[in-house]
Amino acid sequence: MNLTLKVWRQRGPEDKGRMVTYRVEDVSPDMSFLEMLDVLNERLILEGDDPVAFDHDCREGICGMCGMVINGVAHGEQVATTTCQLHMRHFEDNAVITIEPWRAAPFPVVKDLVVDRSAFDRIIQAGGFVSVPAGSAPDAHSIPVKKVDADSAFDAATCIGCGACVAACPNGSASLFTAAKITHLSLLPQGQPERDSRALAMVEQMDAEGFGGCTNTGECTAVCPKGIPLDTIAQMNRDYLRASK
């Protein structure tokens, strides 16, 4: 495959940034999107140019590092797929592909396609934990949990914190991420002691970071690679209102 890439290049947070066009040839349809960028970077290095900076780690779709906006869609147009698991066979030969970083004020660009997502870490640090006694693990069935609650908690816990929900939201809201972290703990017995304080602390930290408010447009769940449902936000709102009273 031969491709034309329009890539956002930005030397640092203070740089204005610009789109740069590159031509990439002989791309295998079996390559992942990141492997295609590796091919581009190898060529740029050989030419003495600065390679395109982008985040990556496991390349197995579970770490949430590989976020970028591809043709205007967070992680690309393949549903429930992270960028590292997006393969080039989903693109046409001679396609023009636009690649940008996450666009949100709380996610400042570090360089090129790399953004600082430490705001997510601070939201979790504000209250994303449960108090458990140290020591040996309890018996598997010592604490009964309803299956419907366990299933819902697991659905929320699959969030990998990639930030696609923020990048896709017209308000730059982190409600889906924060709701997933709150909900997967609040549905389980172990999460009940801090349930109210957790909801208050994490929502208030989310607002303090500068994320926008949720208006239920649904763009967040549409691009979420793990399919976190929109009603997770409703659960967070219920917990927050209850805790506020």
Side-chain angles (χ1 to χ4, degrees):
M1 300 172 62
N2 299 319
L3 304 167
T4 299
L5 306 181
K6 295 185 176 180
V7 185
W8 181 259
R9 302 303 308 266
Q10 185 171 341
R11 288 188 292 269
E14 305 303 322
D15 185 35
K16 185 176 181 180
R18 70 240 180 255
M19 299 298 291
V20 179
T21 301
Y22 300 101
R23 185 71 175 169
V24 183
E25 299 177 344
D26 296 327
V27 174
S28 169
D30 295 324
M31 284 183 178
S32 72
F33 200 86
L34 297 189
E35 287 172 331
M36 181 273 296
L37 290 179
D38 289 337
V39 171
L40 170 63
N41 280 343
E42 287 177 1
R43 195 194 80 197
L44 292 176
I45 292 171
L46 289 175
E47 294 174 351
D49 201 350
D50 192 23
V52 177
F54 60 91
D55 274 329
H56 63 96
D57 193 0
C58 74
R59 299 202 178 198
E60 295 178 351
I62 58 176
C63 73
M65 290 293 292
C66 61
M68 59 187 72
V69 177
I70 303 169
N71 288 338
V73 181
H75 286 302
E77 297 179 1
Q78 284 298 116
V79 178
T81 304
T82 54
T83 300
C84 63
Q85 293 295 295
L86 176 65
H87 289 83
M88 301 314 298
R89 56 179 169 266
H90 297 297
F91 297 90
E92 298 290 336
D93 188 24
N94 291 311
V96 178
I97 305 175
T98 303
I99 311 171
E100 302 173 81
W102 290 161
R103 301 290 191 182
F107 288 164
V109 175
V110 177
K111 184 178 181 181
D112 296 339
L113 305 176
V114 178
V115 299
D116 181 358
R117 286 175 287 186
S118 57
F120 273 7
D121 297 330
R122 291 189 289 271
I123 291 174
I124 294 177
Q125 290 167 359
F129 63 90
V130 296
S131 294
V132 294
S136 60
D139 292 335
H141 299 295
S142 61
I143 303 177
V145 180
K146 294 180 181 178
K147 187 176 187 305
V148 63
D149 290 340
D151 289 344
S152 296
F154 183 82
D155 287 344
T158 58
C159 171
I160 58 176
C162 66
C165 51
V166 177
C169 179
N171 306 322
S173 174
S175 290
L176 191 68
F177 164 80
T178 307
K181 299 305 178 184
I182 290 175
T183 298
H184 92 262
L185 296 177
S186 66
L187 291 175
L188 299 175
Q190 297 91 333
Q192 298 311 306
E194 293 92 8
R195 183 171 182 174
D196 290 347
S197 61
R198 180 188 307 113
L200 290 173
M202 295 183 73
V203 171
E204 289 169 2
Q205 185 64 40
M206 175 183 68
D207 292 340
E209 294 293 340
F211 293 103
C214 174
T215 53
N216 293 315
T217 61
E219 292 292 330
C220 54
T221 190
V223 300
C224 176
K226 299 304 176 182
I228 306 298
L230 194 62
D231 59 9
T232 307
I233 298 177
Q235 178 67 48
M236 175 186 71
N237 290 339
R238 285 193 292 269
D239 280 5
Y240 181 79
L241 289 173
R242 188 186 71 173
S244 298
K245 294 181 179 180

